[in-house]
Amino acid sequence: MMNELGAVGERLAASQVTLDELPQTSIWDELNSWGKSIVAWQRHIISHAVRDGMLSSERIDEVYRLFLREKGLDKGDEELPDVPESVTGRAAVEGTPLALQAVRSLNNVNAIPDVSHLTFGPQLTVIYGQNGAGKTGFSRVLSRACFSRSSPQIIRNIYYDDAPDTPATAQFIIDRGNGPDEEVTFTDGDEHSDLKRVSVFDSFVARIHLAKENELGFQPAGFDVFDEAIRAIGLITQKLEADISQKTRPNKFNQLFSDPGPIAEQIDALNHKSDLAALSALAIFGDAEQERLDELARQEKGLLAKSPVETVKALATAKTDIEALQKKVTEFAGKFAEAALEEARGLLDEHQAVLLAAFKAGSDIVSNPRLSQTGSAGWDDFVLSSRKLGQTEGDTYPEEGDPCLLCHRPLDAPSATLINRMWGFLDHEARKSAVAADERLNAYIAQIRALDCALLPGDSRIRADLSKINPALVSEIDEVSASFDGRRNALVATLEIGARAELPTGDFNLPNEALAKALEEIEVQAAALRDGKFDELLAKLKAEHIALRQRQVLSKNIGDVVAHVEDLVWIVKAGGSRPSPRFVTDRQKIVFEKLIEGNYKKRLKDECAKLDCSLPFDFKARGSAGKTLRGFKAKGGHKPDEIFSEGEQRALSLADFLTEVNLNPTSAAIVLDDPVTSLDHQRKISIARRLVEEAGVRQVIVFTHDLVFLTLLSDYAENTGHSVVGHWIERHSGMPGHVNIDETPANTRIYRKTTKAKEFLERARKADGREKVDLVRSGAGALRRTIEEVVLVHLFKDTVRRWNEQIRLGAVSKISWSDEVADEIVALQDDTSRLLEGHSNSDEFSGGMPDEDGLARLIARVDALIEKAKIERR
């Protein structure tokens, strides 16, 4: 599969870092382990501090929602974000080889065609492309899919108005070194543990290592996560304080009440411990409460307008009515009590027994094996009706010869005798007993049905009087009336069908206590009036009136009162839930001492030496504003941008990146996106040399638009014997993303012979038409590159190199100048232009279309030129 894509067939070599240099865990292992022990909102912070470097305002909002849920400070129905299970998304797979072989089938990634793809060699791969050529689209896919501290947005095709608004996708081909290549499908937003073993370095990654506003000028890879976590916790705290402030409001509900009272006192003393259930119960104010409020106003007015004697008489009447009501309730309860139900059971049992006896008697008198209903109630009705009809026909009916009542045929003697026996059953004692029992049962049913269970009829005086005194009691009496009525209807229905087992049972919830209390209150009021305690009675009525009036006011404002108390509860709970950065600083201290005190410092020093960057830092830690800052403190307390150039800062960041990668046993390939942007030539040389060296340990993939850096990488790889794969990304017809596989401006070695031109020649000989012309021109282009290499490598004996400012003076003595060779070079340059551009000053190649024979003649001339130019001065 990979050979079809043009990938180098070699497999990944095992890491060459010795085991004694490796710590037991890396910073990412430590963060993953920590993530398993912290709650969701904390893990969300750490996860996105790893993935994004700095949490966006949207991420902070997500964390805050998670924090509120964990602390029980939200409503419990808000949508929550998905929290990564793994802080880094990287799996612990120490010692397992992994190499990227290709990335292909890019979809919805900038304007890159889905046929464009990249292949990666086992050591160094360089992807070259000018700005706007489409290189960034590939590098962003790698940053999103692999382990990167930046999270660049993948932009859809802006040149296509109908581009789907769906996540970008790509397909990675990976090699584990133990079998066939594997395909990994990536969708933007997904995480794959295998791809997370590939680390990405770009400009953003370089920046996050450098502190901005504190004296700790540099932090090792991954340790910025702690500072970002502390910053995020600070923002969460600010949000919490803002919500607390917003919910903190003065209690103005006491202004609702003009008179003192128990409800007013409770409202004035509202706090987070206020009983909302009790307040809500007090806020119930319906028709009954309104009627009572109106009655209290009437009673107050009446007390003030009437004499105490008249009031005492009215109370006496009310007492008589309530006592009568008590008696009526007791009577009804007795009619439906268990003892009364026993009477109903007895009637049903008797009725059942006599019916069975009558049935048996009927069967004995007149039986027929083919008739099963003889003696039944239906049969009894039939016999009774036939006798009545027969008696109307004559006193002696039926006699032999009389017509049958049904078929009108003359009756014979046995038939007349049978009819007489049947009619005789109607006077049988068993039947008489059954009829009597049926009449008793029907009379009982009629008696129960006739009961009027309305204890307080709607138009009765007692209901009107009791509604004025105690409307709540009226409601309670109505409920009892409804239960009596239900029991009566159930009893009647059960008796009518004779279903003894379905007779209703159970006791009633009688209002005896409420009635007794009402009588007691009447007696107290009457006694107070008789004893001259008029003012005391009036004050009592007024107090009840105020209480009801305050309940009425509370009922209209209970929603706001409840919300206020809930806010007070929330404020107290939130005040005790303020997030602390302690879990961050404690873990930071543990991890810092565990990892950095060991191999890290020595390894970083070595990396800085290789990259030619100084390390004027002391390893220190300090506390500030409740957090512990740990890192390398610049000597003299200077900020990094005060003592380091931009190149030194980037080199230091790259040194830290390489240190972390080499100390992390799970690290596989590394990807670097424009690592030398804005750096001077010497710095580019140092970084190129170091990356080529790293390619001997693991896959190194470099994206660059710097042609000098591209050449440096290629030269160092060539000199050290490391394999290098190069691709060139260009714009074609104004659209980006066209990939020239195995082709870069720095692939000079393949042009030192005419091999490339000969490849195009062979393909041209098999092609036709326009394709043939294009292949001939491509061969001419390759041949012109070879002529340039002849000048640099053979004629001038590699004294100067493309994109390299150094001059190899030692090689000057080997130069053997030849005017003949120089003239041939100029002539060949002109003749290749004919094939490329369709014009030439040479008669041999003027006119006509480019053809393979002309290209073949040019190749032969260049081969001869190479041999002549190789001659060295003696």
Side-chain angles (χ1 to χ4, degrees), residues 55-202:
L55 273 70
S56 64
S57 58
E58 291 78 10
R59 291 292 186 206
I60 294 296
D61 290 340
E62 291 177 355
V63 173
Y64 188 55
R65 295 204 303 273
L66 289 165
F67 169 80
L68 293 179
R69 177 64 57 85
E70 193 266 330
K71 298 298 182 181
L73 294 172
D74 67 347
K75 296 179 180 178
D77 56 357
E78 290 81 356
E79 183 178 356
L80 297 179
D82 294 329
V83 180
E85 289 296 327
S86 169
V87 163
T88 66
R90 307 179 96 181
V93 285
E94 180 175 352
T96 304
L98 178 74
L100 293 180
Q101 293 293 87
V103 59
R104 64 188 185 186
S105 303
L106 276 66
N107 183 40
N108 218 17
V109 178
N110 297 14
I112 296 177
D114 56 6
V115 295
S116 294
H117 63 271
L118 293 176
T119 59
F120 308 110
Q123 293 185 314
L124 178 63
T125 301
V126 186
I127 297 97
Y128 171 78
Q130 292 293 333
N131 292 331
K135 172 172 57 69
T136 300
F138 283 100
S139 65
R140 286 185 174 180
V141 167
L142 284 164
S143 289
R144 297 287 289 185
C146 301
F147 182 72
S148 174
R149 303 301 311 287
S150 64
S151 185
Q153 180 183 4
I154 298 177
I155 302 172
R156 64 184 180 89
N157 187 356
I158 62 174
Y159 300 97
Y160 180 43
D161 293 336
D162 296 328
D165 188 17
T166 56
T169 59
Q171 187 179 72
F172 287 85
I173 309 299
I174 63 173
D175 170 27
R176 300 182 187 275
N178 59 358
D181 296 331
E182 298 179 24
E183 297 181 358
V184 175
T185 300
F186 166 73
T187 300
D188 191 21
D190 293 348
E191 291 188 349
H192 297 270
S193 58
D194 287 325
L195 297 179
K196 288 296 182 181
R197 294 179 58 197
V198 178
S199 302
V200 179
F201 179 89
D202 57 19

Side-chain angles (χ1 to χ4, degrees), residues 572-808:
V572 172
K573 192 172 185 179
S577 302
R578 288 181 174 90
S580 169
R582 182 66 179 272
F583 79 99
V584 178
T585 55
D586 286 350
R587 177 61 62 165
Q588 183 187 33
K589 178 180 178 181
I590 293 170
V591 175
F592 202 82
E593 293 175 352
K594 181 177 181 180
L595 299 183
I596 306 306
E597 288 284 12
N599 293 327
Y600 176 82
K601 287 192 292 183
K602 178 181 180 301
R603 188 68 185 236
L604 178 63
K605 183 177 180 181
D606 293 342
E607 289 291 351
C608 286
K610 292 178 180 179
L611 294 175
D612 194 23
C613 59
S614 58
L615 187 62
F617 286 98
D618 292 326
F619 175 63
K620 291 184 177 180
R622 69 176 176 87
S624 174
K627 61 181 181 178
T628 301
L629 301 175
R630 298 179 178 276
F632 290 99
K633 178 180 177 183
K635 293 179 179 179
H638 297 287
K639 295 179 180 179
D641 56 359
E642 295 174 348
I643 62 175
F644 293 136
S645 67
E646 181 179 348
E648 287 176 312
Q649 294 180 48
R650 181 175 285 269
L652 180 58
S653 299
L654 181 57
D656 178 59
F657 173 79
L658 292 172
T659 298
E660 190 281 322
V661 166
N662 279 284
L663 292 178
N664 187 348
T666 69
S667 295
I670 59 174
V671 179
L672 302 101
D673 185 14
D674 277 329
V676 296
T677 300
S678 303
L679 301 188
D680 58 39
H681 187 70
Q682 285 303 123
R683 190 73 64 188
K684 292 177 183 178
I685 292 174
S686 299
I687 293 177
R689 184 189 298 115
R690 178 65 188 93
L691 293 181
V692 170
E693 178 189 1
E694 187 66 20
V697 177
R698 71 186 77 252
Q699 259 189 321
V700 176
I701 300 168
V702 180
F703 288 86
T704 184
H705 69 274
D706 191 312
L707 192 54
V708 174
F709 185 59
L710 168 65
T711 304
L712 289 170
L713 287 169
S714 299
D715 287 348
Y716 280 120
E718 177 183 331
N719 293 337
T720 57
H722 292 103
S723 66
V724 57
V725 174
H727 309 306
W728 192 346
I729 302 179
E730 296 181 290
R731 296 178 71 92
H732 273 199
S733 302
M735 298 301 290
H738 177 79
V739 181
N740 299 296
I741 295 292
D742 294 332
E743 176 71 23
T744 73
N747 284 359
T748 61
R749 176 172 287 274
I750 63 174
Y751 292 103
R752 293 180 185 179
K753 295 182 180 180
T754 57
T755 304
K756 198 73 176 176
K758 290 177 180 176
E759 290 177 0
F760 284 115
L761 175 61
E762 289 302 315
R763 291 169 61 189
R765 285 173 172 166
K766 299 176 182 177
D768 297 310
R770 182 66 186 178
E771 183 184 3
K772 177 189 289 291
V773 173
D774 289 341
L775 287 169
V776 170
R777 284 177 173 167
S778 296
L783 205 56
R784 190 154 65 177
R785 287 285 302 277
T786 300
I787 296 170
E788 293 173 355
E789 288 300 306
V790 169
V791 173
L792 291 172
V793 177
H794 300 309
L795 183 60
F796 291 113
K797 304 300 184 279
D798 213 17
T799 303
V800 294
R801 290 185 177 180
R802 196 187 301 266
W803 318 117
N804 195 319
E805 65 183 13
Q806 292 183 344
I807 298 176
R808 295 165 179 79

